[in-house]
Amino acid sequence: MAECPAGPPSRRSNRTFASFLAVSVLLLSFIPLQADTPEEDCEDFTFDNIEEVESVPDCSEPEEEAEAEAEPESESEFESEPGSESGSDSEQGFVPGSDTEQEALTETGQDQDTADFVSPDDLELDVSVEDREFDRSAIEDETDRQEDADKGITGKADESAGWISILPPVIAIVIALTLRQVLLALFLGVWMGAWLVSGASLPAVFTTFFTSVSEYIIPSVADADHVSILVFSLLIGGMVGIIGANGGTRGIVHAITRLITTRRRAQLSTTGLGYAVFFDDYANTMVVGSTMRPLTDQLRISRAKLAYLVDSTAAPVAIIAVISTWIGAVVGYIREAESAIPGFTEAAYLIFLNSLPYNFYAFLAIIFVAVIAYSGRDFGPMRRVEQEAADGRDSSQVKDQEDEKPADAADNGASGRVSHWMNAAIPILGLIIATMAGLWVTGEGDTLQEIAGTSDSYAALVWGSVFSLFLASVLTVSQRLLTIEQMFKGMFRGMHLMFEGLIILVLAWSLGMVTQQLDTAGFLVSLLEGILSPYWVPVIIFILAGVTSFATGSSWGTMGILMPLVLPLTWSLGDTAGLDSAATQTLIYSSVSAVLAGAVWGDHCSPISDTTILSSLACHCDHVTHVNTQLPYALVVGGLSVLAMIASAVIGLPVWMIYPLAMAVMVGIVYRFGKPVRFGEG
């Protein structure tokens, strides 16, 4: 999701960064992207005189080497007629000056010393041009390769851009980590990539500023499937805005909270509400936090504990929900990355579904929250804050005038309105049912997996979002919960919350186009081939995604930067290692989940994450206290997730065995190190 920057950098840091960028551009502009091309070998070659030459000059080699190799190349490019003597000789590897030639000369009475050259006619070789098959497609491929080389790119990383192909994503990551501005980082990565593709000349620094928009950003938006994802995300955001404004979302919360009388029930109810509001992490955080806050205060549950329960059931739930405001972006990232894998045609939505069992962090975080809520035990800083709250002095509480009334931000602008829970449940159920129906109608096959794999998931998602928005509008207007003007305001508020995330998505698509042209994944494969086992790739990706998301505070930005690199890299490493297609597909599913889970993990730990900040705001909890109390829990789950990935990808344990083991370890940690609060200690 969109990041929340910690604050603007100083002027000194701006000048330092600008100087560094300028020096880097100047240095890179003088780096040759290819070997000098001798024009003498190529100037006389055209397709018009193709029958007058014996071979195609290799314009990427020096003239001396090209002349030395001209004779063998001319013979290897042609085939003699069946039955001729040359056929047997060529099959035996006949070349002038070889032992075979010496035997031929001896049979004809010629001495090697007196025979300086033996012509093809002397050896009765039939090499007429008319009887030879000429492969024009090979010439065209060679010409295309040379044109790409002139631009500094080819299909092979070791022949083309090489190490500079990793500059766009590296620059995006470094700037995101340094300035905590994901949008700026992604755009600069696209700009740098466009400059490298154009040839990396100094004047191109200025022209590619514009072509990065016209040739990368606009085409990425113009793609029909990309437009479907953008429309779906906006429509579902509008639906969430309407059911928030008409009070339906609050109605769900109030229907559940009527039977809460104990601390355990309050914590379990908060956790259950987090599961129920699965369709959007913002709605989850703001609605559940602001609604449960008065009840948890009454039962002496600390604001820090409430913020943890809310935060841990927001993004982890949204990232594994088959229908949510996240699914459009996730499917878009996967689709863009999949397009760089030749011959891999599995539907992006099906890849997401198949990757769910390997999303260990999301599932383990959800389970860990339930264990904490049920046990009533805490450890680390959370234990101290909880004991203070039980004693009537909650140090994590932030009091202001909003404590006396519901937080209107929870409902995207509605002033505490509460209506029947069906006003939210019906549109959500309509979204799920219509999407499933769309998958069924557009898919073919005898099994559910075949139908999902052949269906048009983009059309199905759009149909479902349109239907859910229609239901929310009809329910709101027919019951006069809001005026038409108020309803549209709520809808636009919900859409507005999606804008920044969608811009990140578009820039991520553009960066993916750039890395494809530079063959970044190919270079990484050549670099890591023989060094890194493909089985360790998901583990490394999970840690890298976690670090990136923690530093940037943006899970969506992290997914957008890493996903276009991870899928082609995993596929190529698996192919190079000789893995069968089933094993490689499993690694791809694990790698996809590693990106998604790592992004959520880092977002969960980061003090500058949007959901972390919103959790503090919705629960009126001191932000630093929320981060400090939540971090040990997130690190425990993150560590278990790393071990689970090693067990799955490296050792090969099945996931049905990993989850029970991880749950047993979590329960053991909570009951070994956690302690329940005791009333009256203070």
Side-chain angles (χ1 to χ4, degrees), residues 300 384-385 387-397 681-682:
R300 294 188 179 182
R384 175 183 58 82
V385 175
Q387 186 60 58
E388 292 175 351
D391 296 336
R393 43 186 179 86
D394 186 0
S395 61
S396 65
Q397 191 175 75
E681 284 191 358

Side-chain angles (χ1 to χ4, degrees), residues 348-370:
Y349 190 72
L350 189 58
I351 294 176
F352 167 74
L353 294 178
N354 289 328
S355 71
L356 286 178
Y358 306 99
N359 198 328
F360 295 109
Y361 181 80
F363 284 107
L364 293 181
I366 293 171
I367 296 171
F368 192 73
V369 170

Side-chain angles (χ1 to χ4, degrees), residues 256-257 259-273 292 295-296 298-302 305-306 309 369-378 386 670-671 675-677 679:
I256 298 176
T257 58
L259 302 177
I260 298 176
T261 56
T262 64
R263 285 172 54 89
R264 174 178 290 178
R265 287 186 180 180
Q267 295 183 54
L268 288 175
S269 297
T270 303
T271 303
L273 285 172
M292 294 298 297
L295 185 61
T296 55
Q298 181 181 350
L299 296 173
R300 294 188 179 182
I301 298 173
S302 68
K305 185 66 168 290
L306 176 63
L309 298 175
V369 170
V371 172
I372 290 289
Y374 179 81
S375 67
R377 295 171 176 263
D378 293 287
E386 274 289 271
V670 171
Y671 279 88
K675 295 180 180 180
V677 297
F679 291 90

Side-chain angles (χ1 to χ4, degrees), residues 485-498:
E485 182 180 0
Q486 290 173 332
M487 183 192 70
F488 276 106
K489 284 184 178 179
M491 182 184 71
F492 290 133
R493 278 195 204 96
M495 291 181 174
H496 177 74
L497 294 177
M498 304 297 298

